[in-house]
Amino acid sequence: MSTVGFIGLGIMGLPMAANLVKAGFEVAGYNRSPGKIAKLAEQGGTAAGSVAEAVRGADVVITMLPDSPDVQAVVLGEDGVLANAASSTLLIDMSTIRPDVAREVAAAGAERGVRVLDAPVSGGEAGAIEGNLSIMVGGADDDFAAAASVFDAVGGTIVHVGPAGAGQTVKAANQLIVAGTIELVAESIVFLEAHGVDTEAAVKVLAGGLAGNRILERKAAGMLAREFTPGFRVELHDKDLGIVTSAAREAGVTIPLGALAAQLMGALKAQGHGGLDHSALLKLVEQLSTHDKA
Ligand code: NAD
């Protein structure tokens, strides 16, 4: 496994592709907006002019795209990944998409002899840059084993969680926890500020106790400064919470706090904040508590 075709060089994809280059892979990158392809080329990758060009000759194809329809178009579409991949190719979709679409992609790959893993990630932009993402993998044992060196180049915690689609189900649970945690950290910040407490000191001590969590570690400073450059965009988390709520409904599982978090994320997007980091849930909490901070 030495040649990787990487499709989707956004906030996550570009640093992940760059880490594959650093690990010694030949990486041909393609992205819809070409500026990002040039950035990969600056970091030692090869610029591909199309999906077909990125896929041709690749042992492994990685997709890191926004949403389910994007993956369906790029993988299943005309002149897409499956139309161009050799039958021995390993396709690893690392986007966060619906579990049923992950299964659809795996089945379509199997028909053409292409092996498919769903391998969504957690750890954010920082994890992508540092190469220590948490990767939750669905698919066959052999294919998971074959992808080890690729996963090692971009991940820290790499776990095979079950058959096709299982990675996406675990990622949905991840997004449920992250959204709920951001909301509680946001509420705590607004609460502490209203009481005139030194919030930096408060965050420091909270992070060391049972309330400690990665959102406090990685996002609280930005939230205190009202710095909401993404990171992870509200519109993507809104998409993920749609996956969570519908998957919960399909399974007959009630997730009251998750449903509330989904509503709040949706409201933030509806207010025109879809392009901000998801920690901007703080804006909504402030708005609910004050007249002048909307
Ligand atoms: P992004 O929007 O920054 O990147 C997606 C890239 O895909 C863009 O550069 C876009 O131009 C490209 N693209 C879209 N459609 C395309 C097509 N048809 N052909 C070629 N390129 C196309 O998004 P991101 O933040 O990098 O997220 C990517 C995926 O990873 C999403 O599913 C997201 O939910 C997930 N994710 C993001 C984070 C994060 O913190 N940003 C963390 C974990 C998982």
Side-chain angles (χ1 to χ4, degrees), residues 7-14 30-33 36 51 64-67 70 73-74 94-97 120-126 133 171 175 219 231-233 235-237 239-240 277-278:
I7 303 162
L9 301 168
I11 288 178
M12 298 296 283
L14 181 62
Y30 174 70
N31 192 79
R32 196 169 45 191
S33 40
K36 294 176 182 163
V51 170
M64 193 52 170
L65 298 160
D67 200 352
D70 305 307
V74 166
M94 305 191 80
S95 330
T96 304
I97 63 168
V121 304
S122 181
E125 185 183 16
L133 291 165
K171 173 67 186 183
Q175 295 307 80
K219 298 272 181 192
F232 187 61
R233 295 196 304 279
E235 63 195 6
L236 288 177
H237 211 147
K239 173 240 339 172
D240 294 349
D277 189 71
H278 53 170

Side-chain angles (χ1 to χ4, degrees), residues 12-231:
M12 298 296 283
L14 181 62
M16 290 165 72
N19 280 329
L20 286 164
V21 172
K22 276 187 212 146
F25 290 93
E26 275 177 38
V27 182
Y30 174 70
N31 192 79
R32 196 169 45 191
S33 40
K36 294 176 182 163
I37 308 178
K39 280 192 184 155
L40 178 65
E42 280 165 23
Q43 296 178 68
T46 308
S50 63
V51 170
E53 214 178 292
V55 169
R56 242 175 264 131
D59 306 313
V60 179
V61 174
I62 298 178
T63 43
M64 193 52 170
L65 298 160
D67 200 352
S68 304
D70 305 307
V71 173
Q72 285 168 315
V74 166
V75 175
L76 310 176
E78 204 182 315
D79 213 21
V81 174
L82 293 185
N84 288 285
S87 63
S88 56
T89 310
L90 181 62
L91 167 62
I92 310 175
D93 177 38
M94 305 191 80
S95 330
T96 304
I97 63 168
R98 295 195 334 243
D100 61 304
V101 174
R103 287 190 289 271
E104 177 194 348
V105 168
E111 272 177 28
R112 290 181 162 261
V114 171
R115 302 171 290 158
V116 182
L117 294 171
D118 52 295
V121 304
S122 181
E125 185 183 16
I129 293 167
E130 291 158 16
N132 62 5
L133 291 165
S134 198
I135 311 178
M136 34 220 108
V137 188
D141 289 340
D142 290 357
D143 301 340
F144 176 68
S149 58
V150 172
F151 287 146
D152 283 344
V154 295
T157 304
I158 301 148
V159 182
H160 186 201
V161 294
Q168 296 295 351
T169 303
V170 175
K171 173 67 186 183
N174 184 87
Q175 295 307 80
L176 172 61
I177 295 169
V178 171
T181 308
I182 291 177
E183 175 62 18
L184 288 176
V185 169
E187 291 181 17
S188 303
I189 287 173
V190 171
F191 167 80
L192 290 164
E193 288 179 347
H195 281 283
V197 169
D198 175 346
T199 40
E200 277 181 33
V203 163
K204 193 172 169 194
V205 70
L206 287 171
L210 194 55
N213 64 72
R214 286 286 170 86
I215 304 299
L216 270 179
E217 279 170 30
R218 297 213 156 184
K219 298 272 181 192
M223 291 165 85
L224 291 177
R226 279 26 176 202
E227 167 55 66
F228 300 125
T229 306

